Amino acid sequence: MTQSNANLLGALSSIHSSNPFAFAKPLAVAVLSASLLMGCGSDDDNDNTSSVVADAEDTALAFDATDYTTVNVTVDGESVAVRQYRIVYVANPLAAGSSSTRFGQPLEITDPYTFQTMIVSVPESALEDQQTALYFMVNNGGWFNSPVATDVSDGAEFVSDSDTDNVGAALKAGYVLVDVGTRSRGARGVNGDWIGKAPAPVVDAKAAIRYLRLNDAAMPGSAERIVVTGTSGGGGLTSAVAASGNSADYLPFLSAIGAAGVTGADDTLASTINDDVFAAVAYCPINNLGNADAGYEWQYNAIRSDDNTGALNGVAYSEGPQPAASSAIAAMFPDYLAGLGLTNADGTALTADTINDETVAFLKEEIERQIAAGTAVPAFGENFEVTQRGTTYSIPNDWLTLNGSGTTATVAEIDFEKFLTFVTTPISLKTVVAFDAGAVTGNPSISGETNLFGSDSYEYSNFIEWSWNNNEVQADGSGPDDTGMEWDEYIASEYGSELATQLKLINPLEYLGTDADTAPYWYVRHGMIDRDTAFAMQTLLYQAIRNDDSVQDVNFAFPYLVPHSGNYDVQEAFSWIADTLAAANSAE
Ligand code: DHB
């Protein structure tokens, strides 16, 4: 046996012994739920009933209305009592181990079930309100695990009229606030297993939603009015959850953790509870990770240089493997895009030939909106004042030409390539490879999202073709060196099916435009100077949402001179939420 085959078999045996893809459900529960189900009929994939079948796990997940603490906060200086519930939302939670990390730092685990706990905060005005929205916050920045936490703590002060205090706005609106913990990368079990691998964060968020649906009658607010929100990794998670409502693809994973409303086992898995949501509010969603590298290099390849791209392992951009990698990865994007078969609003195909025009149209719309609102947008040759990571830069406008002046000026022309260089003047691009960054191009660290993927017994797995085929680290379980297989063979094989499933289940693009029950309302923002993912990836997400027949409204913008961030437009977002709720309520 060759060394690489030995490694592969080692990887596979551990996959079969300890991974969530084994879909095991405790036998006693499986037998019990199967017997309870007899005679109940079965649901098809996307037509789940909302009636509750009394399965043992669901019984264990009954909401206890008496188990709360009262937290006193102020909103606009007025005191507000908030009833707060801390809830483990699955019947078989996974205990967090002390080797878990977040943003590279050790995570202190004080509650073993922190990753599968939510904190539900009910302002007193909502205690008797069965109609109000559930403002459901995911917090997996960096696509890292999210130990549960809340800003709603005793003595906290909020305001309802600021553009940055979303919690204050939600309390004032009388929504029920839900802070959700989830597994994701960096999460480890007590035995050291990597328990947060994809699709864990999506599965956990869905499990929390299922808990809210199971207990909707007993809890304040309406689980038919869930507004999922998050930023960056959290925006990506928001988009995956909101796109894939009620998809049966997640049932094996939901079953494994004892999520509400999942019955049967293996071939008889069925759902008795829905997990679709009402609305998504996603900021700079780092979404579609399997194709984000292709989009990034396709967008930025022509303008990468030593000025805006860092060295890797001491080797300058232009001196090392990054340019060739960038070109090879960029070349994947046009076919990927064309294969999606999406159309632009004018009926033309969304392709590599049209997507930049779509992005530019959104830039133009936003700049004209700012001009009309009185923002002083510099004329060609004048300076933009741009703040990135706390530092303000004056950067000459060499990309935007205006017609006229004052609040009636319009955009005459945008030089998109110069715009991209402008974006990367105060902040460097991610190095190549941007997302599947680990174990390639001399990168000495495990960075990017590489450790969101792979089996629970390996720290990471390369997840795009180029990185897989160019993996540089022996015995890490990734690449032809360890498996004997190039990407195409691997990902189509039984061995690669786990990774293929992971990539699918965290990707909203895989569910938009399918028979999954996509959220009907979307509010998506990506700052105009945000280089964390390509503009093209966000324009693509927008078009995929718009192309989905079940979507009623998608409100999308690249906010003016906004960097990688979220919740900077709280008044606008909350008036959109209020209008959306009112429109849906009056349509019923
Ligand atoms: C985040 C930023 C990234 O660049 C990324 O790839 C994933 C997540 C974040 O800020 O959450």
Side-chain angles (χ1 to χ4, degrees):
M1 182 184 292
T2 64
Q3 181 60 37
S4 57
N5 282 342
N7 286 336
L8 176 60
L9 291 181
L12 292 173
S13 64
S14 64
I15 285 172
H16 288 298
S17 63
S18 66
N19 102 44
F21 286 76
F23 311 152
K25 190 170 190 175
L27 188 60
V29 174
V31 170
L32 179 60
S33 47
S35 61
L36 284 169
L37 248 190
M38 277 165 50
C40 292
S42 64
D43 298 321
D44 73 24
D45 289 6
N46 289 306
D47 184 24
N48 306 323
T49 69
S50 47
S51 68
V52 174
V53 176
D55 129 334
E57 288 170 350
D58 290 2
T59 306
L61 291 173
F63 174 66
D64 179 357
T66 66
D67 187 11
Y68 64 86
T69 53
T70 300
V71 169
N72 292 297
V73 302
T74 64
V75 179
D76 301 329
E78 307 277 327
S79 63
V80 174
V82 178
R83 207 172 266 195
Q84 200 162 71
Y85 298 87
R86 191 180 169 97
I87 299 166
V88 178
Y89 55 73
V90 291
N92 305 327
L94 287 154
S98 57
S99 54
S100 298
T101 58
R102 193 162 196 268
F103 290 105
Q105 301 300 314
L107 198 62
E108 199 193 331
I109 306 290
T110 49
D111 169 359
Y113 301 131
T114 186
F115 296 140
Q116 290 169 324
T117 296
M118 62 181 161
I119 297 173
V120 178
S121 300
V122 187
E124 56 194 353
S125 65
L127 282 174
E128 303 299 326
D129 187 344
Q130 287 299 311
Q131 307 302 322
T132 195
L134 310 185
Y135 185 70
F136 185 99
M137 294 170 277
V138 295
N139 176 35
N140 60 323
W143 274 104
F144 280 105
N145 61 74
S146 138
V148 71
T150 183
D151 290 336
V152 184
S153 57
D154 239 352
E157 297 175 358
F158 300 99
V159 289
S160 67
D161 61 353
S162 100
D163 255 332
T164 54
D165 188 350
N166 60 323
V167 172
L171 288 169
K172 179 75 176 185
Y175 301 154
V176 172
L177 285 78
V178 185
D179 283 285
V180 192
T182 61
R183 293 167 294 157
S184 193
R185 67 194 186 104
R188 302 188 77 169
V190 284
N191 62 357
D193 279 358
W194 301 92
I195 61 172
K197 294 296 183 64
V202 187
V203 171
D204 286 353
K206 283 175 177 278
I209 290 162
R210 285 168 167 271
Y211 180 100
L212 296 168
R213 274 244 169 59
L214 174 72
N215 292 292
D216 198 18
M219 298 181 79
S222 170
E224 299 308 317
R225 293 287 181 267
I226 295 176
V227 179
V228 189
T229 186
T231 297
S232 193
L237 175 53
T238 295
S239 64
V241 170
S244 65
N246 305 332
S247 167
D249 291 354
Y250 299 84
L251 292 180
F253 302 93
L254 290 163
S255 175
I257 55 174
V262 184
T263 56
D266 301 325
D267 292 348
T268 66
L269 276 173
S271 178
T272 58
I273 294 180
N274 286 346
D275 55 33
D276 59 323
V277 298
F278 174 73
V281 176
Y283 292 96
C284 48
I286 304 288
N287 72 94
N288 192 352
L289 284 168
N291 301 289
D293 278 303
Y296 201 77
E297 299 314 322
W298 180 82
Q299 188 90 89
Y300 286 115
N301 174 268
I303 65 133
R304 278 193 183 275
S305 71
D306 290 346
D307 289 339
N308 66 15
T309 304
L312 269 179
N313 213 14
V315 181
Y317 173 75
S318 61
E319 302 294 321
Q322 293 193 69
S326 175
S327 299
I329 294 167
M332 311 295 290
F333 193 61
D335 282 353
Y336 166 66
L337 201 52
L340 293 172
L342 296 169
T343 55
N344 300 311
D346 66 2
T348 58
L350 180 68
T351 65
D353 289 334
T354 62
I355 195 166
N356 282 345
D357 290 345
E358 296 296 309
T359 298
V360 167
F362 274 116
L363 296 175
K364 178 174 186 293
E365 183 179 306
E366 170 65 8
I367 291 164
E368 290 183 346
R369 181 171 87 133
Q370 291 292 330
I371 291 171
T375 303
V377 174
F380 195 89
E382 293 177 2
N383 282 347
F384 284 103
E385 303 295 319
V386 168
T387 303
Q388 271 289 12
R389 298 187 177 168
T391 303
T392 300
Y393 304 82
S394 288
I395 306 174
N397 172 11
D398 65 352
W399 57 271
L400 171 66
T401 313
L402 300 177
N403 274 328
S405 61
T407 55
T408 57
T410 55
V411 172
E413 197 192 334
I414 289 173
D415 181 327
F416 190 55
E417 196 162 300
K418 290 210 168 87
F419 164 76
L420 294 176
T421 301
F422 159 79
V423 170
T424 64
T425 300
I427 185 166
S428 291
L429 286 164
K430 294 180 173 185
T431 51
V432 189
V433 178
F435 297 92
D436 189 3
V440 288
T441 51
N443 180 4
S445 63
I446 298 160
S447 59
E449 278 74 8
T450 311
N451 61 352
L452 185 58
F453 298 95
S455 82
D456 62 5
S457 52
Y458 275 92
E459 186 167 12
Y460 61 82
S461 171
N462 287 121
F463 62 88
I464 69 165
E465 176 173 354
W466 192 91
S467 294
W468 180 272
N469 288 346
N470 291 279
N471 171 284
E472 292 167 348
V473 178
Q474 290 275 318
D476 64 355
S478 285
D481 54 348
D482 291 352
T483 62
M485 286 185 261
E486 296 272 323
W487 173 262
D488 283 346
E489 185 187 353
Y490 177 76
I491 203 69
S493 75
E494 179 193 347
Y495 312 123
S497 66
E498 174 176 3
L499 178 57
T501 300
Q502 292 178 326
L503 286 164
K504 179 177 184 194
L505 270 61
I506 57 144
N507 186 357
L509 272 287
E510 293 281 356
Y511 293 94
L512 292 165
T514 70
D515 63 356
D517 294 326
T518 294
Y521 299 98
W522 293 72
Y523 182 96
V524 182
R525 294 290 182 270
H526 177 93
M528 199 177 280
I529 58 165
D530 183 342
R531 72 22 151 178
D532 276 50
T533 196
F535 296 98
M537 294 307 292
Q538 307 297 30
T539 300
L540 167 57
L541 176 64
Y542 162 77
Q543 291 293 6
I545 297 167
R546 200 189 56 77
N547 275 252
D548 186 308
D549 291 340
S550 55
V551 172
Q552 304 276 330
D553 180 33
V554 48
N555 184 311
F556 179 87
F558 292 123
Y560 184 68
L561 302 191
V562 167
H564 186 67
S565 54
N567 293 315
Y568 40 75
D569 57 355
V570 165
Q571 297 308 310
E572 186 183 355
F574 273 74
S575 77
W576 178 86
I577 294 171
D579 289 352
T580 298
L581 289 166
N585 291 341
S586 71
E588 274 182 358

